[in-house]
Amino acid sequence: MNYYSIGEAAKRLGIPESTIRYYEKKGLLPRMERDEAGRRIFTEDYLVFLKIILYLKNTQMPISQIRQYVDWMAEGDNTIALRLAMFQEHKQAVLAQIALMTEALQGIEKKIERYTNYLETNGKEVLS
C-alpha cells in the first residue's frame, strides 16, 4: 500500500497543505492516519475520500453539510439513503447555479461583443 505525506497529498490534489489542515480542524477528515512521528499520512483510498470533500466544497456545499456527510459515512451503511438524498439535493443546487452562471455569462458575452464592435467602428456604434 502506498502512503503519501501531506505535501505529496496536497500536490496530487492540487491544493495547499493548509487546506488539508483546515479540513481536518473542521472535522472533515476523521481517522487521519499518522506515522510514528505524528505526521499525517494518506492512502490512495483516503485521497479518493478527500477528493469527494473537495468536489462538495468546490460546488459550494457548506462545511456544516460536508461534516454531516462525513458523520453519516462514519455511521455506516444505514445512512446510505440519507447520503443519497443529500447528493441528489446538492446536484439540483449545482445545476441551478450552473444555469444562473450560464445566463450571466451570456450577458457578459453580449457586453464584450458591444464593446468590441464599438472599438472596431471607432465609436460609431452606440453603447448601452
Side-chain angles (χ1 to χ4, degrees), residues 57-104:
K57 186 63 183 136
N58 289 339
T59 55
Q60 309 308 307
M61 181 179 276
I63 294 284
S64 60
Q65 283 188 292
I66 297 172
R67 190 172 35 249
Q68 178 63 73
Y69 167 71
V70 170
D71 291 346
W72 283 338
M73 287 282 296
E75 288 180 37
D77 289 350
N78 61 323
T79 64
I80 287 176
L82 294 170
R83 289 181 264 161
L84 174 60
M86 174 185 271
F87 272 79
Q88 289 171 328
E89 184 178 316
H90 187 61
K91 176 185 175 182
Q92 292 308 309
V94 169
L95 289 172
Q97 187 66 23
I98 288 170
L100 185 64
M101 295 296 276
T102 299
E103 182 180 341

